[in-house]
Amino acid sequence: MIFKLKFPQVLLGLVALYSLSQCSDSSASLDQTTVDQAAIEAYIAENDSNAVAHESGIYYSILDTVPTGAGASGNILSIYYSAKVMNGDAYDINSRSDGDDSVKLKQGVDAVFPVGLDIGLGLMKEGETFRFYIPSSLGYQDYSFSSLIPENSILEIEVEVAAVQNQDDIIAEELAAIDAYIISENLNDTIAHPKDSVEYLAAQQVYYKRLSEGTENDTLRNNDLSTISYIGRTLDGTEFDRRTNAAPLTYTFGANVIISGLDEGISEMERGESALIILPSHKAYGESVFVVPSYRKEDFVELEIIPLYASKVAPYEIVVFETSLLNNP
């Protein structure tokens, strides 16, 4: 889902603006569609005679096929890619040969931009490499960036699907990564990192470490007014959101206002307490939004194509909240 975020990135559950699939403006002129189609067909006739048209309007060429590979459609994918304007220079690359890590995304849930890429990924299988030609109506339309991406650009994106996973695979992978993080950060050393060891809340699938005590038994019940301060970080320490004690966040606890894992961690806290709450992605920002080019996310936030949190938190990112449950005034 795509949301217009008017609140801190920690807030979800807001009214949906529109899905990414609606970014292909229905009022785009027939003339531009015709121009794009003619340009793609002329280009592939000379340069890629194996490319074929898809009913959506994209064209694709199969560079490496694996008939028995797991289908990408609707699944969580790890990919490598190279993106350029057709017959132009590359503007975003994530390359296996350069030693880059593959990037994760979820296909088919309005969590990939541009839309034409999401459509194309749904045609692939694990281990395959495709080249896609994406008309401007399914690309960036009239968005432009320097000389690399002119208005109404036709995109040429080559993709390798390195792995196909389901949600259970991701959860197991992330819980193992969190366990390794707890060890590497020595979080169970209560002298170096008081006050308590890290506790895994199995029912909630979140990790909780009390940092300081609050008022005994003064915990929250659903629909209580809750006031918190927090710092949100990824596992590598990158800060993506903050609310201070001087400007805290007040919200209705248990009312599906903030991301579920944070609320569930706060349910363990007493007023006046501080705690570390570690969330696997399905309890935080989930599939977020995968964006090409990855370095222009802020532009697409301003255009209200992706939410603010998606410019800060990548798909399937584990996050850590250092949180204080304050005494309401």
Side-chain angles (χ1 to χ4, degrees), residues 285-305:
Y285 300 100
E287 65 271 10
S288 188
V289 183
F290 174 75
V291 177
V292 177
S294 56
Y295 54 87
R296 302 304 301 177
K297 292 177 181 178
E298 291 79 6
D299 292 358
F300 302 121
V301 171
E302 291 181 9
L303 293 169
E304 298 185 336
I305 293 171

Side-chain angles (χ1 to χ4, degrees), residues 2-317:
I2 294 305
F3 303 95
K4 184 175 183 180
L5 232 62
K6 298 180 179 178
F7 304 97
Q9 293 98 300
V10 74
L11 295 176
L12 294 182
L14 306 178
V15 178
L17 266 184
Y18 49 83
S19 70
L20 282 173
S21 59
Q22 292 170 310
C23 292
S24 52
D25 187 351
S26 59
S27 65
S29 73
L30 180 61
D31 285 347
Q32 186 61 52
T33 301
T34 303
V35 167
D36 286 355
Q37 181 179 352
I40 294 172
E41 291 182 351
Y43 181 80
I44 63 177
E46 283 197 23
N47 299 281
D48 192 354
S49 59
N50 292 321
V52 296
H54 183 260
E55 61 186 3
S56 65
I58 70 169
Y59 290 70
Y60 66 96
S61 180
I62 302 174
L63 305 182
D64 193 4
T65 185
V66 182
T68 58
S73 180
N75 285 315
I76 300 164
L77 315 181
S78 295
I79 70 167
Y80 297 96
Y81 66 91
S82 174
K84 64 180 184 177
V85 171
M86 190 176 72
N87 204 27
D89 295 325
Y91 60 83
D92 197 10
I93 299 175
N94 188 79
S95 170
R96 181 194 290 270
S97 61
D98 289 342
D100 296 332
D101 292 330
S102 61
V103 292
K104 282 186 169 61
L105 58 87
K106 187 163 187 180
Q107 193 280 330
V109 292
D110 295 333
V112 176
F113 183 75
V115 174
L117 176 59
D118 195 27
I119 294 168
L121 289 168
L123 305 175
M124 300 183 69
K125 297 184 181 70
E126 185 176 43
E128 293 188 327
T129 303
F130 279 31
R131 181 183 297 121
F132 300 108
Y133 302 94
I134 301 172
S136 59
S137 62
L138 296 173
Y140 307 126
Q141 298 183 32
D142 59 0
Y143 168 79
S144 63
F145 169 65
S146 72
S147 60
L148 289 174
I149 307 175
E151 289 187 6
N152 298 312
S153 289
I154 297 168
L155 309 180
E156 184 178 334
I157 303 180
E158 190 170 308
V159 180
E160 174 196 348
V161 175
V164 173
Q165 297 175 289
N166 59 34
Q167 186 66 46
D168 289 341
D169 297 331
I170 295 296
I171 291 172
E173 194 176 90
E174 291 182 354
L175 295 185
I178 294 172
D179 287 339
Y181 172 78
I182 291 167
I183 293 170
S184 69
E185 296 298 310
N186 208 21
L187 293 181
N188 285 329
D189 182 340
T190 56
I191 296 175
H193 300 285
K195 176 172 187 306
D196 295 339
S197 299
V198 180
E199 180 183 358
Y200 177 56
L201 308 178
Q204 298 93 335
Q205 292 187 314
V206 305
Y207 292 75
Y208 170 82
K209 175 182 171 67
R210 182 179 287 107
L211 300 177
S212 66
E213 291 185 351
T215 303
E216 187 175 1
N217 297 324
D218 189 4
T219 56
L220 297 171
R221 293 175 293 183
N222 282 347
N223 299 315
D224 278 353
L225 200 62
S226 170
T227 301
I228 61 172
S229 61
Y230 61 84
I231 302 173
R233 298 186 179 96
T234 56
L235 283 194
D236 66 2
T238 301
E239 183 177 317
F240 61 85
D241 195 14
R242 173 189 289 259
R243 291 296 291 262
T244 65
N245 286 354
L249 170 67
T250 298
Y251 74 100
T252 302
F253 173 74
N256 197 31
V257 177
I258 67 172
I259 56 178
S260 63
L262 184 56
D263 227 13
E264 289 166 350
I266 289 169
S267 71
E268 299 292 312
M269 299 178 70
E270 298 167 332
R271 292 188 195 271
E273 179 184 320
S274 295
L276 206 62
I277 302 171
I278 307 173
L279 307 180
S281 65
H282 71 289
K283 290 294 184 174
Y285 300 100
E287 65 271 10
S288 188
V289 183
F290 174 75
V291 177
V292 177
S294 56
Y295 54 87
R296 302 304 301 177
K297 292 177 181 178
E298 291 79 6
D299 292 358
F300 302 121
V301 171
E302 291 181 9
L303 293 169
E304 298 185 336
I305 293 171
I306 68 171
L308 180 58
Y309 67 81
S311 71
K312 306 291 185 180
V313 182
Y316 302 102
E317 188 98 68

